[in-house]
Amino acid sequence: MNIVLSDIIFHVPGYISDSMSEEEFFQFCQQNEIARIERDEKKQIIIQPPTYTFEGIFRGKISCALGLWNGKQNSGVCFDSSTGFTLPDDSVRSPDASWMSNKKYAHISDDEKQKFAHVCPDFVFELKSPSDNLKYLTDKMRKWIENGCALGWLVNPYNKTVVIFRQNGTVDKVTGFNNILSGEDVLPGFKLDLSILL
């Protein structure tokens, strides 16, 4: 099995990850539910450490802001950092928070909702932690977009920057937490005042 922690690959003798079926991978995650586990398009297993206290504050504030906006709009559903999605490239990814329109969510069967549904969120955000490799996270954001995500934010609380990824291929960088991010046409009316992260 190939296990990836940030950009380090660990090889466990006697177990090949690409021999693990979708159902076997789901069961593997259930048996190790205390860990946050993903699988990339090359079938490499990615295990991430628990959220650090400092990092958890940032995740909580952004997730809360997204949830409050969605509660007023009632136009979609929000997901937490434990939610896994099976993407068109067969990877199983789990963002720090995500949002999906009601229309898209309605097309997911009840059976799919009990597993890692074959669907890509419309919006995702990823938060850089001290253990994260920035290149790995940037590549992961690009994979989200390539698989159908319309808008993605990569938030780095350590240098106070946000990199914005869009479905049309444009990428912008916002420097400083004295700025306000817009949900654009993906999350109409959603504004995130980055000063809440200071």
Side-chain angles (χ1 to χ4, degrees), residues 43-66:
K43 307 299 184 186
Q44 294 180 129
I45 303 296
I46 304 160
I47 299 178
Q48 300 185 14
T51 299
Y52 301 106
T53 303
F54 178 68
E55 178 187 348
I57 294 172
F58 286 93
R59 280 186 183 173
K61 287 182 176 181
I62 297 174
S63 296
C64 183
L66 181 63

PDB file of all heavy atoms in Angstrom, residues 43-66:
ATOM      1  N   LYS A  43      -4.231   6.044  -6.806  1.00  0.00           N
ATOM      2  CA  LYS A  43      -4.591   5.049  -5.786  1.00  0.00           C
ATOM      3  C   LYS A  43      -3.655   5.071  -4.579  1.00  0.00           C
ATOM      4  O   LYS A  43      -3.586   4.108  -3.817  1.00  0.00           O
ATOM      5  CB  LYS A  43      -4.644   3.620  -6.359  1.00  0.00           C
ATOM      6  CG  LYS A  43      -5.527   3.470  -7.586  1.00  0.00           C
ATOM      7  CD  LYS A  43      -6.966   3.814  -7.295  1.00  0.00           C
ATOM      8  CE  LYS A  43      -7.854   3.558  -8.506  1.00  0.00           C
ATOM      9  NZ  LYS A  43      -9.236   4.018  -8.295  1.00  0.00           N
ATOM     10  N   GLN A  44      -2.947   6.163  -4.393  1.00  0.00           N
ATOM     11  CA  GLN A  44      -2.108   6.308  -3.208  1.00  0.00           C
ATOM     12  C   GLN A  44      -2.985   6.752  -2.031  1.00  0.00           C
ATOM     13  O   GLN A  44      -3.792   7.671  -2.164  1.00  0.00           O
ATOM     14  CB  GLN A  44      -1.003   7.335  -3.442  1.00  0.00           C
ATOM     15  CG  GLN A  44       0.004   6.919  -4.494  1.00  0.00           C
ATOM     16  CD  GLN A  44       1.082   7.956  -4.695  1.00  0.00           C
ATOM     17  OE1 GLN A  44       2.268   7.651  -4.661  1.00  0.00           O
ATOM     18  NE2 GLN A  44       0.695   9.188  -4.919  1.00  0.00           N
ATOM     19  N   ILE A  45      -2.797   6.097  -0.904  1.00  0.00           N
ATOM     20  CA  ILE A  45      -3.538   6.438   0.304  1.00  0.00           C
ATOM     21  C   ILE A  45      -2.870   7.640   0.965  1.00  0.00           C
ATOM     22  O   ILE A  45      -1.648   7.670   1.138  1.00  0.00           O
ATOM     23  CB  ILE A  45      -3.564   5.250   1.281  1.00  0.00           C
ATOM     24  CG1 ILE A  45      -4.173   4.008   0.619  1.00  0.00           C
ATOM     25  CG2 ILE A  45      -4.312   5.625   2.557  1.00  0.00           C
ATOM     26  CD1 ILE A  45      -5.614   4.155   0.239  1.00  0.00           C
ATOM     27  N   ILE A  46      -3.684   8.627   1.335  1.00  0.00           N
ATOM     28  CA  ILE A  46      -3.176   9.849   1.966  1.00  0.00           C
ATOM     29  C   ILE A  46      -3.791   9.951   3.351  1.00  0.00           C
ATOM     30  O   ILE A  46      -5.016   9.998   3.496  1.00  0.00           O
ATOM     31  CB  ILE A  46      -3.551  11.087   1.138  1.00  0.00           C
ATOM     32  CG1 ILE A  46      -3.034  10.947  -0.299  1.00  0.00           C
ATOM     33  CG2 ILE A  46      -3.013  12.363   1.775  1.00  0.00           C
ATOM     34  CD1 ILE A  46      -3.723  11.834  -1.293  1.00  0.00           C
ATOM     35  N   ILE A  47      -2.944   9.950   4.363  1.00  0.00           N
ATOM     36  CA  ILE A  47      -3.418  10.048   5.746  1.00  0.00           C
ATOM     37  C   ILE A  47      -2.965  11.389   6.313  1.00  0.00           C
ATOM     38  O   ILE A  47      -1.773  11.709   6.292  1.00  0.00           O
ATOM     39  CB  ILE A  47      -2.893   8.891   6.605  1.00  0.00           C
ATOM     40  CG1 ILE A  47      -3.400   7.557   6.041  1.00  0.00           C
ATOM     41  CG2 ILE A  47      -3.327   9.059   8.061  1.00  0.00           C
ATOM     42  CD1 ILE A  47      -2.907   6.342   6.776  1.00  0.00           C
ATOM     43  N   GLN A  48      -3.928  12.158   6.809  1.00  0.00           N
ATOM     44  CA  GLN A  48      -3.614  13.465   7.354  1.00  0.00           C
ATOM     45  C   GLN A  48      -3.752  13.440   8.868  1.00  0.00           C
ATOM     46  O   GLN A  48      -4.628  12.762   9.412  1.00  0.00           O
ATOM     47  CB  GLN A  48      -4.529  14.528   6.745  1.00  0.00           C
ATOM     48  CG  GLN A  48      -4.388  14.617   5.226  1.00  0.00           C
ATOM     49  CD  GLN A  48      -5.202  15.749   4.643  1.00  0.00           C
ATOM     50  OE1 GLN A  48      -5.674  16.624   5.349  1.00  0.00           O
ATOM     51  NE2 GLN A  48      -5.349  15.738   3.333  1.00  0.00           N
ATOM     52  N   PRO A  49      -2.893  14.194   9.563  1.00  0.00           N
ATOM     53  CA  PRO A  49      -2.967  14.224  11.025  1.00  0.00           C
ATOM     54  C   PRO A  49      -4.195  14.981  11.503  1.00  0.00           C
ATOM     55  O   PRO A  49      -4.825  15.715  10.722  1.00  0.00           O
ATOM     56  CB  PRO A  49      -1.677  14.976  11.416  1.00  0.00           C
ATOM     57  CG  PRO A  49      -1.391  15.855  10.241  1.00  0.00           C
ATOM     58  CD  PRO A  49      -1.829  15.063   9.033  1.00  0.00           C
ATOM     59  N   PRO A  50      -4.568  14.806  12.772  1.00  0.00           N
ATOM     60  CA  PRO A  50      -5.692  15.570  13.314  1.00  0.00           C
ATOM     61  C   PRO A  50      -5.417  17.071  13.212  1.00  0.00           C
ATOM     62  O   PRO A  50      -4.272  17.498  13.106  1.00  0.00           O
ATOM     63  CB  PRO A  50      -5.753  15.122  14.780  1.00  0.00           C
ATOM     64  CG  PRO A  50      -5.028  13.820  14.807  1.00  0.00           C
ATOM     65  CD  PRO A  50      -3.977  13.907  13.746  1.00  0.00           C
ATOM     66  N   THR A  51      -6.479  17.848  13.260  1.00  0.00           N
ATOM     67  CA  THR A  51      -6.355  19.303  13.177  1.00  0.00           C
ATOM     68  C   THR A  51      -5.663  19.852  14.418  1.00  0.00           C
ATOM     69  O   THR A  51      -5.995  19.496  15.545  1.00  0.00           O
ATOM     70  CB  THR A  51      -7.755  19.940  13.054  1.00  0.00           C
ATOM     71  OG1 THR A  51      -8.366  19.458  11.864  1.00  0.00           O
ATOM     72  CG2 THR A  51      -7.669  21.450  12.997  1.00  0.00           C
ATOM     73  N   TYR A  52      -4.688  20.740  14.198  1.00  0.00           N
ATOM     74  CA  TYR A  52      -4.031  21.411  15.315  1.00  0.00           C
ATOM     75  C   TYR A  52      -5.000  22.435  15.919  1.00  0.00           C
ATOM     76  O   TYR A  52      -5.894  22.933  15.244  1.00  0.00           O
ATOM     77  CB  TYR A  52      -2.760  22.117  14.844  1.00  0.00           C
ATOM     78  CG  TYR A  52      -1.747  21.187  14.213  1.00  0.00           C
ATOM     79  CD1 TYR A  52      -1.544  21.175  12.847  1.00  0.00           C
ATOM     80  CD2 TYR A  52      -1.005  20.321  15.000  1.00  0.00           C
ATOM     81  CE1 TYR A  52      -0.624  20.316  12.258  1.00  0.00           C
ATOM     82  CE2 TYR A  52      -0.081  19.454  14.431  1.00  0.00           C
ATOM     83  CZ  TYR A  52       0.105  19.456  13.058  1.00  0.00           C
ATOM     84  OH  TYR A  52       1.004  18.607  12.481  1.00  0.00           O
ATOM     85  N   THR A  53      -4.799  22.767  17.186  1.00  0.00           N
ATOM     86  CA  THR A  53      -5.688  23.694  17.876  1.00  0.00           C
ATOM     87  C   THR A  53      -5.792  25.023  17.135  1.00  0.00           C
ATOM     88  O   THR A  53      -6.893  25.523  16.863  1.00  0.00           O
ATOM     89  CB  THR A  53      -5.196  23.937  19.317  1.00  0.00           C
ATOM     90  OG1 THR A  53      -5.105  22.679  19.990  1.00  0.00           O
ATOM     91  CG2 THR A  53      -6.155  24.849  20.067  1.00  0.00           C
ATOM     92  N   PHE A  54      -4.657  25.610  16.786  1.00  0.00           N
ATOM     93  CA  PHE A  54      -4.618  26.899  16.077  1.00  0.00           C
ATOM     94  C   PHE A  54      -5.344  26.794  14.740  1.00  0.00           C
ATOM     95  O   PHE A  54      -6.156  27.645  14.382  1.00  0.00           O
ATOM     96  CB  PHE A  54      -3.151  27.302  15.867  1.00  0.00           C
ATOM     97  CG  PHE A  54      -2.954  28.580  15.109  1.00  0.00           C
ATOM     98  CD1 PHE A  54      -3.320  29.792  15.659  1.00  0.00           C
ATOM     99  CD2 PHE A  54      -2.377  28.573  13.845  1.00  0.00           C
ATOM    100  CE1 PHE A  54      -3.135  30.981  14.958  1.00  0.00           C
ATOM    101  CE2 PHE A  54      -2.180  29.748  13.138  1.00  0.00           C
ATOM    102  CZ  PHE A  54      -2.556  30.951  13.697  1.00  0.00           C
ATOM    103  N   GLU A  55      -5.072  25.727  14.033  1.00  0.00           N
ATOM    104  CA  GLU A  55      -5.690  25.499  12.718  1.00  0.00           C
ATOM    105  C   GLU A  55      -7.191  25.295  12.847  1.00  0.00           C
ATOM    106  O   GLU A  55      -7.978  25.760  12.012  1.00  0.00           O
ATOM    107  CB  GLU A  55      -5.042  24.272  12.080  1.00  0.00           C
ATOM    108  CG  GLU A  55      -5.584  23.871  10.738  1.00  0.00           C
ATOM    109  CD  GLU A  55      -5.005  22.550  10.273  1.00  0.00           C
ATOM    110  OE1 GLU A  55      -4.020  22.062  10.872  1.00  0.00           O
ATOM    111  OE2 GLU A  55      -5.555  21.993   9.314  1.00  0.00           O
ATOM    112  N   GLY A  56      -7.608  24.604  13.911  1.00  0.00           N
ATOM    113  CA  GLY A  56      -9.025  24.328  14.112  1.00  0.00           C
ATOM    114  C   GLY A  56      -9.853  25.589  14.276  1.00  0.00           C
ATOM    115  O   GLY A  56     -11.021  25.633  13.869  1.00  0.00           O
ATOM    116  N   ILE A  57      -9.253  26.618  14.870  1.00  0.00           N
ATOM    117  CA  ILE A  57      -9.954  27.896  15.029  1.00  0.00           C
ATOM    118  C   ILE A  57     -10.283  28.488  13.658  1.00  0.00           C
ATOM    119  O   ILE A  57     -11.397  28.942  13.403  1.00  0.00           O
ATOM    120  CB  ILE A  57      -9.112  28.881  15.860  1.00  0.00           C
ATOM    121  CG1 ILE A  57      -8.976  28.369  17.301  1.00  0.00           C
ATOM    122  CG2 ILE A  57      -9.727  30.280  15.839  1.00  0.00           C
ATOM    123  CD1 ILE A  57      -8.006  29.162  18.141  1.00  0.00           C
ATOM    124  N   PHE A  58      -9.301  28.465  12.750  1.00  0.00           N
ATOM    125  CA  PHE A  58      -9.512  29.010  11.411  1.00  0.00           C
ATOM    126  C   PHE A  58     -10.578  28.215  10.662  1.00  0.00           C
ATOM    127  O   PHE A  58     -11.473  28.785  10.036  1.00  0.00           O
ATOM    128  CB  PHE A  58      -8.196  28.995  10.620  1.00  0.00           C
ATOM    129  CG  PHE A  58      -7.227  30.057  11.055  1.00  0.00           C
ATOM    130  CD1 PHE A  58      -6.257  29.783  12.009  1.00  0.00           C
ATOM    131  CD2 PHE A  58      -7.281  31.337  10.520  1.00  0.00           C
ATOM    132  CE1 PHE A  58      -5.370  30.754  12.416  1.00  0.00           C
ATOM    133  CE2 PHE A  58      -6.391  32.316  10.921  1.00  0.00           C
ATOM    134  CZ  PHE A  58      -5.431  32.037  11.877  1.00  0.00           C
ATOM    135  N   ARG A  59     -10.473  26.908  10.711  1.00  0.00           N
ATOM    136  CA  ARG A  59     -11.461  26.074  10.027  1.00  0.00           C
ATOM    137  C   ARG A  59     -12.860  26.353  10.554  1.00  0.00           C
ATOM    138  O   ARG A  59     -13.822  26.458   9.795  1.00  0.00           O
ATOM    139  CB  ARG A  59     -11.137  24.591  10.236  1.00  0.00           C
ATOM    140  CG  ARG A  59     -10.058  24.052   9.341  1.00  0.00           C
ATOM    141  CD  ARG A  59      -9.935  22.557   9.534  1.00  0.00           C
ATOM    142  NE  ARG A  59      -8.846  22.014   8.740  1.00  0.00           N
ATOM    143  CZ  ARG A  59      -8.424  20.759   8.823  1.00  0.00           C
ATOM    144  NH1 ARG A  59      -8.997  19.923   9.658  1.00  0.00           N
ATOM    145  NH2 ARG A  59      -7.428  20.332   8.070  1.00  0.00           N
ATOM    146  N   GLY A  60     -12.963  26.447  11.864  1.00  0.00           N
ATOM    147  CA  GLY A  60     -14.259  26.688  12.491  1.00  0.00           C
ATOM    148  C   GLY A  60     -14.870  28.010  12.066  1.00  0.00           C
ATOM    149  O   GLY A  60     -16.069  28.086  11.770  1.00  0.00           O
ATOM    150  N   LYS A  61     -14.059  29.062  12.021  1.00  0.00           N
ATOM    151  CA  LYS A  61     -14.580  30.385  11.666  1.00  0.00           C
ATOM    152  C   LYS A  61     -15.053  30.432  10.216  1.00  0.00           C
ATOM    153  O   LYS A  61     -16.106  31.003   9.910  1.00  0.00           O
ATOM    154  CB  LYS A  61     -13.511  31.448  11.908  1.00  0.00           C
ATOM    155  CG  LYS A  61     -13.278  31.749  13.382  1.00  0.00           C
ATOM    156  CD  LYS A  61     -12.253  32.852  13.577  1.00  0.00           C
ATOM    157  CE  LYS A  61     -12.107  33.221  15.045  1.00  0.00           C
ATOM    158  NZ  LYS A  61     -11.131  34.316  15.252  1.00  0.00           N
ATOM    159  N   ILE A  62     -14.272  29.845   9.302  1.00  0.00           N
ATOM    160  CA  ILE A  62     -14.662  29.863   7.889  1.00  0.00           C
ATOM    161  C   ILE A  62     -15.893  28.993   7.673  1.00  0.00           C
ATOM    162  O   ILE A  62     -16.834  29.378   6.966  1.00  0.00           O
ATOM    163  CB  ILE A  62     -13.486  29.415   7.003  1.00  0.00           C
ATOM    164  CG1 ILE A  62     -12.322  30.400   7.126  1.00  0.00           C
ATOM    165  CG2 ILE A  62     -13.925  29.318   5.545  1.00  0.00           C
ATOM    166  CD1 ILE A  62     -11.054  29.971   6.401  1.00  0.00           C
ATOM    167  N   SER A  63     -15.913  27.819   8.290  1.00  0.00           N
ATOM    168  CA  SER A  63     -17.066  26.923   8.150  1.00  0.00           C
ATOM    169  C   SER A  63     -18.327  27.554   8.710  1.00  0.00           C
ATOM    170  O   SER A  63     -19.423  27.430   8.128  1.00  0.00           O
ATOM    171  CB  SER A  63     -16.794  25.595   8.858  1.00  0.00           C
ATOM    172  OG  SER A  63     -15.723  24.912   8.259  1.00  0.00           O
ATOM    173  N   CYS A  64     -18.184  28.248   9.828  1.00  0.00           N
ATOM    174  CA  CYS A  64     -19.333  28.897  10.464  1.00  0.00           C
ATOM    175  C   CYS A  64     -19.889  29.999   9.561  1.00  0.00           C
ATOM    176  O   CYS A  64     -21.113  30.105   9.370  1.00  0.00           O
ATOM    177  CB  CYS A  64     -18.925  29.467  11.812  1.00  0.00           C
ATOM    178  SG  CYS A  64     -20.290  30.223  12.733  1.00  0.00           S
ATOM    179  N   ALA A  65     -18.997  30.808   8.978  1.00  0.00           N
ATOM    180  CA  ALA A  65     -19.426  31.893   8.084  1.00  0.00           C
ATOM    181  C   ALA A  65     -20.163  31.319   6.870  1.00  0.00           C
ATOM    182  O   ALA A  65     -21.204  31.846   6.451  1.00  0.00           O
ATOM    183  CB  ALA A  65     -18.221  32.723   7.647  1.00  0.00           C
ATOM    184  N   LEU A  66     -19.624  30.233   6.312  1.00  0.00           N
ATOM    185  CA  LEU A  66     -20.261  29.588   5.158  1.00  0.00           C
ATOM    186  C   LEU A  66     -21.633  29.039   5.544  1.00  0.00           C
ATOM    187  O   LEU A  66     -22.620  29.197   4.809  1.00  0.00           O
ATOM    188  CB  LEU A  66     -19.361  28.466   4.631  1.00  0.00           C
ATOM    189  CG  LEU A  66     -19.854  27.701   3.399  1.00  0.00           C
ATOM    190  CD1 LEU A  66     -19.956  28.622   2.193  1.00  0.00           C
ATOM    191  CD2 LEU A  66     -18.907  26.531   3.086  1.00  0.00           C
TER     192      LEU A  66
END
